[in-house]
Amino acid sequence: MNLILLFLLFALTALVYAMAGFGGGSTYSALLVLNGADHRIIPLVALICNLIVVSGGVFHHVRAGNLKTGLILPFALTSVPMALVGGSLAVSEQVFRLVLGTALVLGGLMMLKPIAGDRDRGRQPENRVDWWIATPIGAVLGLLAGVTGIGGGIYLAPVMHLAGWAESRVVAATTSAFILVNSLAALAGHLGKWPETAQAGLTVFLWLPLAVFLGGQVGSILGVGRYGDRLVRVITMVLVFYVGIRLLLEGS
C-alpha cells in the first residue's frame, strides 16, 4: 500500500471514529495488516494512534460535561490490569492473527446491528451501569486491547446503548475514556518488549500518529455535539470484516 495513501486512510479513520468516541484501533490494525506490517508492531502502532485520538475526545467531552465518572469506573477497574497483562504477553504470529481476526470479525458483526437513538428507546437513559455486568466486560476488553491494540470501544458502545445505560453523547465520552485508560495500560505492557518490537520495523510507521492527530481533532470537535456511530459502521464495517476473515483463513 502506498505510504501517502496509508497516511490519508489513517487520518480519515481517526476523524470518523473520533466522532463516535472511538479510537479506531480495529481499523488501524486492519490497515496495517493489509500493508504487510510485522505482527509485533501492529498493536503498538494501533495503541499509540488510539491514545492520540481519544485524548482529544476525552478533553472535548469533559469540557462539554459528557463524561460521567460513575460510568467509566466499573469498566476501568478490571480492564486496566488486564490490558497491562495482555500487552506484556509475547504471542506468536499465528496466535496474534487468530485473536485479531476473531476480534475484527466480531467488530464487523457488531457494526451490522442498528443502534436506535435515545428517542426511539421509549425511556430516558439513567446514566448508570450494572457493576456485575460491567466488570467482566471490562476484563475481557482490557485483555483484548493489550494483545491486539483494539481499545474495545467498538464493543462497549453497542452494549451500553442496548442496555439503556446512557445517552449517545455520554456513551461516546465513556468509550473515549475507556479506550484511553486501556491503551495506556496496554502500551505500558508492550514497552517491556521494546527491543524486540523496535527490530520489527516500527520506525517506518512512526509518522502515522501525525495523521490520526489531525483527523482525530476534527472528529472530536464534531462528535461532541453529534454522535456519528452510523457513519462509523458504514465506512469501517466491510474493511474490518474482510481483514478479519482473511486473517482467520490464512491462519487456518
Side-chain angles (χ1 to χ4, degrees):
M1 184 182 296
N2 183 283
L3 293 181
I4 296 178
L5 176 60
L6 189 62
F7 183 94
L8 295 175
L9 289 174
F10 264 62
L12 178 61
T13 298
L15 187 153
V16 175
Y17 268 88
M19 289 178 63
F22 301 154
S26 58
T27 303
Y28 303 140
S29 298
L31 290 172
L32 289 169
V33 168
L34 292 176
N35 196 67
D38 190 297
H39 79 282
R40 292 171 293 179
I41 69 171
I42 291 176
L44 193 58
V45 174
L47 288 168
I48 293 172
C49 291
N50 269 345
L51 282 171
I52 292 173
V53 175
V54 297
S55 294
V58 170
F59 173 77
H60 292 298
H61 280 297
V62 168
R63 291 187 60 186
N66 297 331
L67 185 61
K68 312 296 181 184
T69 305
L71 286 177
I72 182 62
L73 185 59
F75 295 107
L77 281 177
T78 51
S79 71
V80 168
M82 292 304 292
L84 181 61
V85 170
S88 64
L89 294 176
V91 299
S92 66
E93 183 173 2
Q94 184 176 7
V95 171
F96 176 77
R97 284 177 170 269
L98 176 62
V99 174
L100 179 59
T102 302
L104 292 178
V105 169
L106 291 176
L109 292 175
M110 294 292 277
M111 292 179 187
L112 282 172
K113 189 171 184 61
I115 298 176
D118 298 325
R119 295 179 181 177
D120 299 331
R121 246 185 290 276
R123 61 188 176 89
Q124 183 67 25
E126 300 178 1
N127 288 333
R128 69 174 185 84
V129 300
D130 297 318
W131 279 63
W132 68 275
I133 300 177
T135 49
I137 288 176
V140 172
L141 296 183
L143 183 63
L144 186 68
V147 174
T148 67
I150 296 176
I154 196 174
Y155 307 106
L156 180 61
V159 171
M160 294 188 71
H161 273 288
L162 294 174
W165 284 336
E167 61 182 328
S168 294
R169 279 178 287 183
V170 175
V171 171
T174 304
T175 54
S176 290
F178 181 72
I179 295 168
L180 177 65
V181 296
N182 278 349
S183 298
L184 282 171
L187 189 60
H190 277 279
L191 289 178
K193 301 181 292 185
W194 177 255
E196 178 186 356
T197 306
Q199 294 174 3
L202 177 65
T203 54
V204 177
F205 300 98
L206 285 181
W207 46 271
L208 291 175
L210 174 61
V212 301
F213 173 78
L214 297 175
Q217 289 303 304
V218 176
S220 295
I221 294 172
L222 294 175
V224 168
R226 179 176 173 272
Y227 191 69
D229 178 75
R230 290 178 178 83
L231 181 59
V232 173
R233 287 202 310 272
V234 171
I235 294 179
T236 63
M237 178 180 61
V238 174
L239 174 64
V240 298
F241 193 80
Y242 163 74
V243 175
I245 292 295
R246 174 175 162 177
L247 284 171
L248 292 176
L249 291 177
E250 290 177 355
S252 62

